[in-house]
Amino acid sequence: MAYLGLVTPAVAEWRTFGSEILGLQLIEEGEGGVARFRMDEADCRLWVHPGEKNDIGYIGWQLTGEKEARELGEAVAAAGSAITRATPEEASARCVAGYYWFTDPAGFRHELSWGQYVTPNSFLPGWAMSGFRTGEQGMGHIVLLVPDLPAADKFYREVMGFHQSDCIRDGARALHFYHCNGRHHSLAIGSPGPGVRGAHHIMLEVNSLHDVGKAVDRCELLDVPVSKSIGCHTNDRMVSTYIFSPSVLRVEYGFGGVEIDDLWEPKTYSRTSIWGHKELRPDLPPAMIIES
Ligand code: FE
């Protein structure tokens, strides 16, 4: 995952949340009231656009190059989703050399990009933290809620080419996890019910466990809800906490996720966490719902 665009009525809150809680670098020159954030040498990783409702605007994936993006775009088109090439102006607005975009059968916009703009040695975190684990593993992961789980699973694996990492089964409910690089998962999906579309969280991985604890302290100081206590996941072994963002979408703030390779064999788990991750705020909406 190279970049992400959120839409929310709470852009003003996001400016403080992104920099003061998450430690992202706020870029001031966003056009049209957009808040933009950096988290490493990439010129921009997160856009927060003003809008009426909370939504996922777009998910940017990085392909090796233009040829690979075009080939994947052709595969997506062959599967029935119309593909469009961004104009040079549109690509430049995302800080990439180019991208193709389409809307997947679940209703999410994906951008197949190449040539992300970078400025080495230029990241300044919003508070004194150790920075983010990105590089080859991209910016983190996103967990989407899809209206039809088997259909989305088939599309992300067979059309987009994600590899299955794991499945967590909790009774009749299932969560599917997918990788496309060394990160255990860049994409995960679940389905709270037929027709429901939304997103549960995005995950950003920091370079020090202390930053996870310090972020929890900062949440208390700045009155931001922590929705799950610090815990460790069964599948990617991430030690993390869940912070309630101004757009309901949680931000999993984690450290120490496993790195996987081509020999990884998908596993099945019966629980999401080895320890911790206790629900602290059952009073808050459980996920960002876009359509239901
Ligand atoms: Fe996660």
Side-chain angles (χ1 to χ4, degrees), residues 210-222:
H210 297 300
D211 292 334
V212 179
K214 284 161 80 177
V216 171
D217 285 354
R218 295 181 73 83
C219 285
E220 196 179 331
L221 199 69
L222 298 171

Side-chain angles (χ1 to χ4, degrees), residues 141-143 177 185 188 200-204 233 235-236 238 240 242 251-253 277:
H141 70 235
I142 185 161
V143 179
F177 298 81
H185 56 282
H200 182 267
H201 68 268
I202 60 169
M203 189 287 302
L204 305 179
H233 281 303
N235 61 352
D236 64 0
M238 192 77 74
S240 60
Y242 288 71
V251 178
E252 180 183 7
Y253 205 69
H277 288 148

Side-chain angles (χ1 to χ4, degrees), residues 146 148-158 164 176 178 189:
V146 297
D148 181 337
L149 195 68
D153 174 58
K154 192 171 160 66
F155 182 84
Y156 295 134
R157 281 188 298 106
E158 295 181 11
Q164 191 185 354
H176 293 283
Y178 310 96
I189 58 171

Side-chain angles (χ1 to χ4, degrees), residues 4-40:
L4 182 69
L6 302 177
V7 179
T8 180
V11 178
E13 292 86 340
W14 256 99
R15 287 175 181 272
T16 316
F17 177 78
S19 56
E20 297 291 318
I21 298 290
L22 302 181
L24 302 172
Q25 179 180 357
L26 177 64
I27 311 169
E28 289 299 349
E29 77 272 24
E31 280 174 33
V34 182
R36 301 167 57 204
F37 296 97
R38 306 184 64 210
M39 58 188 292
D40 59 4

